[in-house]
Amino acid sequence: MAVPLLRRSTGSPRAAYYLGVLYHQGCPEAGTARSLDEAARHYRAAARLGEPEAMLALGELYLERLLPLTRTPAEHALEHFLAAAERGHPYAQYRAAELCRTLYQDTGRAAALYRSCVDNPMTGRHPLGSMMTLQSQAHLREEAATRTARAAQQRRDAVNAVERRGDFI
């Protein structure tokens, strides 16, 4: 069976990740019952070895509150999404951008992550690549429009100071 072979593949990030998947989903044919604790243990081992899929899986488990928390679920998830994003994982870039934009209101960081996702050559090969590209581009256009409107308002305020606006009445 594959499970003993995976277990013997110590030091392999992909093998540890696949063991995590087997425990996460449960696979009676492979002799693994569903266990989120075991899944997390294997995902953590794979993440320590640099496997971005494992980092993404851990982030999702934290976000869904399926693992013990020491901080908010979003803080745990963002930490793992950012680690995978730094390794060039397009979906992690997108998920991290979404958290930065929606939960943390950090539009600058979100824009940088959306840009990374759009520019990532792997995005087009990802099953959700089209959706991630379209959504990221839409958010980037929205951020650019907001920056332009803010700059225009600052120019208006500089020319027509707030304390003088009512002078013409």
Side-chain angles (χ1 to χ4, degrees):
M1 289 229 104
V3 173
L5 180 62
L6 289 173
R7 285 195 173 107
R8 284 193 305 269
S9 299
T10 57
S12 167
R14 211 62 188 159
Y17 168 70
Y18 286 134
L19 277 170
V21 171
L22 285 172
Y23 281 104
H24 188 167
Q25 297 172 354
C27 185
E29 301 84 20
T32 58
R34 186 168 196 255
S35 168
L36 293 179
D37 291 335
E38 276 298 302
R41 187 171 73 78
H42 290 290
Y43 285 151
R44 284 186 186 103
R48 277 191 301 277
L49 294 168
E51 176 55 52
E53 289 286 342
M55 296 169 195
L56 190 58
L58 281 169
E60 295 293 350
L61 286 172
Y62 278 117
L63 202 55
E64 294 172 20
R65 298 171 187 248
L66 296 174
L67 295 177
L69 302 167
T70 56
R71 297 171 282 156
T72 68
E75 288 172 322
H76 282 287
L78 185 59
E79 173 187 340
H80 291 289
F81 292 163
L82 288 172
E86 289 171 6
R87 285 164 180 75
H89 195 289
Y91 189 62
Q93 292 165 337
Y94 178 77
R95 292 291 281 145
E98 287 288 289
L99 282 180
C100 287
R101 181 181 63 84
T102 59
L103 294 180
Y104 293 102
Q105 311 299 307
D106 188 345
T107 56
R109 190 173 196 189
L113 288 158
Y114 284 130
R115 173 60 48 213
S116 295
C117 181
V118 168
D119 293 344
N120 188 335
M122 298 300 292
T123 300
R125 293 184 222 139
H126 192 278
L128 299 174
S130 296
M131 180 277 304
M132 292 187 302
T133 299
L134 292 171
Q135 290 292 324
S136 296
Q137 289 171 334
H139 292 303
L140 287 168
R141 283 191 303 272
E142 181 181 324
E143 173 61 17
T146 300
R147 272 195 324 271
T148 300
R150 196 175 307 127
Q153 184 61 49
Q154 287 172 343
R155 283 191 300 276
R156 283 191 295 276
D157 289 346
V159 171
N160 186 17
V162 175
E163 61 274 1
R164 293 191 318 227
R165 287 188 184 156
D167 289 353
F168 66 89
I169 299 178

